[in-house]
Amino acid sequence: SFISYTTEKRLSKTPERFGKGAIEGVAGPESANNAAAGGALIPLLTLGIPSSATTAILMGAFVAFSLWHAYLGLQVVVDDYIHTPGTKIFLMLAIRFSVIAITATCIFAIVRIAAL
């Protein structure tokens, strides 16, 4: 939020209005704050690693309501229908790495678009 506010103030045509209720000084940091909340869910849902205290509490709620076993979706299918240990391990790793690859591709695309 602080970096967003500073950047917005530096790039503004009227930086003297900041600190006096300019909507630009409110909208930029608030959108950065909201984007951070959504970005914290990416490691939780793809890798199963909570990246903040909020996502750790969300993970605890998933476990409490028996939803955590479905965090990768396809892993439930692997657990329920495939009983050969080698195949199960291979498919679980394949699912995990494909989710990581898709996430990395999306992040790369977002960075490229933001650089335009």
Side-chain angles (χ1 to χ4, degrees), residues 5-77:
Y5 179 81
T6 306
T7 304
E8 189 70 36
K9 186 174 179 180
R10 189 169 34 103
L11 296 176
S12 176
K13 293 179 182 176
T14 56
E16 63 275 355
R17 292 180 47 215
F18 282 75
K20 297 182 173 105
I23 192 66
E24 297 89 1
V26 176
E30 185 62 29
S31 63
N33 188 26
N34 292 338
L41 290 174
I42 293 173
L44 176 69
L45 297 176
T46 57
L47 303 173
I49 301 170
S51 59
S52 67
T54 307
T55 55
I57 292 171
L58 185 62
M59 186 170 120
F62 285 162
V63 171
F65 289 104
S66 299
L67 296 173
W68 185 244
H69 67 278
Y71 76 97
L72 275 180
L74 292 175
Q75 189 167 348
V76 174
V77 174

Side-chain angles (χ1 to χ4, degrees), residues 7 16 23 36 39 50 56 60 72 79 88 98 101 103 105 116:
T7 304
E16 63 275 355
I23 192 66
L72 275 180
D79 288 342
K88 186 182 249 187
S98 63
T103 304
T105 304
L116 294 179

